[in-house]
Structure formats: structure tokens, C-alpha cells
Amino acid sequence: MRPLRSRWVMTAMTNLMVGYLRLTYATLRWTHENRPLAEKVWADSLVSNTGAILALWHSRVPVGPTAWPQGPDKPEIRVLVSQSRDGEFIARVIAKLGLPAIRGSSLKKTDTAKNKGGEQAFRDMVKWVRDGGAMAITPDGPRGPVEDLQKGAVALARVTGAPVLFVGIAMKPCIRLNTWDRTIIPLPFAKAAMVWDGPATAGRDDDPDAQAAAWGARLSAVSRRAEVLVGETRAV
């Protein structure tokens, strides 16, 4: 997004988006399914100080804050956001919505010479979760393939021992951007649904490829279920 190269445009767009999302969040008409699964993880994490991991698809970033609003009933959360200019915009928006970011991107297999802070971000996430915090990740981001869960999510769960929650979010009507993942932008007074699955854990003897595939299927399943609840059916 070339306009975001301007500091003034970045600031203006951030404030506009934050104001719009706050207004829209307040008007969404929610249906929740399996929320007790998340509530138990929240409560257990606070008691044991073990942290937690939240996984949602990248297309749900604009509505992600609705899944884990900061509060005393759940661990404080951070969000993994890429170091790109677009990532800077996302980080500023979610920070104003109460969700600070840890910045970094996974290394591309085809371009290992470019380090986008992925290794340091992973270390920061591990420390945060081990200290009892929660970490939100979009395991098909920042560039896809769409709904293809990368092994970084499995690695984080394995190293920290933290439980992983999968959340699917959908709303109708909504705007779908012309991006690689068809990012959704909520519209005021839309019908919205949030569906939970989990918790899942990763053991050191588990096959990371098989686990990534299984977790990806679970995350897509709750996303499709949320779409059904709001009356939306589509192909990924």
C-alpha cells in the first residue's frame, strides 16, 4: 500500500480505521459457539501462569481483537505482526485497540537471505508466553498460501508447552478486500459469529508436518462453521 509510505497518511488512516472498527465492534450482533473452551483456557492460564496461544486465519485480522479483548479474566495478549509497511499499519491499529504487537515475519523458504526479524520475534514470543502471556498468531500470514498453517505455530506450542486455541470468525454483510487472503472488513450491525476449538498441545515427539496439517484443518473447520452461522457459504 504505497499511500502508507507517507507518515501523515499513515497516521490519518490509522485513526480512521480505529474509529471505524470501534464503532463497528459495538454494533455487531454476535453468536458464540464453544466459548467455554476458551474460558477454561483463560482461567487455567491465569492460575498456572502458563500462557496461551490463539490462532486465527490472516483474513480475520481486522476482527481479531474481538476474540481476546484485554481484561482481568484472561492473560494479557500480544499479536505477531510483520515488519512490512502494511504490518506497521496493522500494528498501529491493533495497538490503539488494546493489543500490542511483537514484530517479525517468518523467513521465506525461497529467500533465506532476507531476515525479517523472524528469529528474534520467535524468541520474544517464547519469552512472553513462558512468562504467562498469550500470543495471537495468523499462521498463514503474512503472504500465504491462504489457510495453509505454517509450522511456526507448532514450534511455538512445542517450545512453550502452551495450549493452542483455534477461533473462526465470520460476519455478514462484510467487505472482502482484493488481497491474497480476501481480508474481511466488518460492516456496522452485521450478523457475526465466533466459533472456538481446542485446546491443542504439541509434544516434542509429534510430527510437525502432520500436526500443522491437522491444526490447519481444525482452524478452517471453525472458520467454515462461523460462516454457516451467519448464512455465508463460499469457497476458500
Side-chain angles (χ1 to χ4, degrees):
M1 296 177 66
R2 290 188 178 276
L4 295 181
R5 295 178 185 273
S6 165
R7 178 167 60 91
W8 303 108
V9 172
M10 172 78 80
T11 299
M13 289 185 65
T14 297
N15 291 334
L16 283 172
M17 179 60 77
V18 169
Y20 174 79
L21 289 176
R22 281 177 174 160
L23 172 65
T24 303
Y25 290 169
T27 66
L28 293 174
R29 297 174 291 127
W30 283 103
T31 297
H32 291 89
E33 191 166 275
N34 297 331
R35 183 181 172 90
L37 295 175
E39 292 174 341
K40 186 176 188 308
V41 169
W42 296 340
D44 291 347
S45 294
L46 288 176
V47 171
S48 61
N49 200 42
T50 54
I53 300 168
L54 172 71
L56 68 160
W57 290 132
H58 192 273
S59 60
R60 271 57 178 179
V61 165
V63 290
T66 61
W68 203 288
Q70 303 281 36
D73 63 330
K74 59 182 71 67
E76 188 176 352
I77 196 166
R78 295 288 184 269
V79 182
L80 177 63
V81 179
S82 75
Q83 290 184 341
S84 67
R85 195 63 175 167
D86 290 356
E88 176 67 19
F89 174 66
I90 293 171
R92 291 189 184 200
V93 170
I94 63 173
K96 285 180 174 288
L97 293 172
L99 304 180
I102 289 176
R103 304 294 302 278
S105 300
S106 299
L107 294 176
K108 292 184 178 180
K109 296 178 182 178
T110 57
D111 193 3
T112 55
K114 292 184 178 181
N115 190 328
K116 296 184 178 180
E119 293 180 0
Q120 183 59 52
F122 187 79
R123 288 193 290 269
D124 292 343
M125 288 191 294
V126 168
K127 183 179 187 307
W128 176 257
V129 174
R130 282 179 170 171
D131 288 344
M135 195 70 223
I137 56 176
T138 54
D140 60 341
R143 294 295 179 185
V146 63
E147 297 199 5
D148 182 3
L149 191 141
Q150 303 299 307
K151 287 184 289 185
V154 177
L156 180 62
R158 176 183 290 125
V159 171
T160 62
V164 182
L165 284 166
F166 309 104
V167 62
I169 306 174
M171 48 205 58
K172 184 178 180 181
C174 66
I175 298 169
R176 286 194 175 272
L177 300 182
N178 187 28
T179 56
W180 65 270
D181 62 346
R182 302 286 290 166
T183 295
I184 63 173
I185 302 295
L187 291 173
F189 303 101
K191 185 177 181 181
M194 187 179 300
V195 182
W196 296 90
D197 185 20
T201 56
R204 293 190 177 274
D205 295 330
D206 294 332
D207 182 336
D209 292 305
Q211 200 149 40
W215 287 8
R218 293 175 71 174
L219 187 48
S220 288
V222 289
S223 299
R224 301 294 86 78
R225 173 58 181 165
E227 290 167 358
V228 168
L229 289 175
V230 299
E232 177 188 8
T233 57
R234 68 177 185 91
V236 175

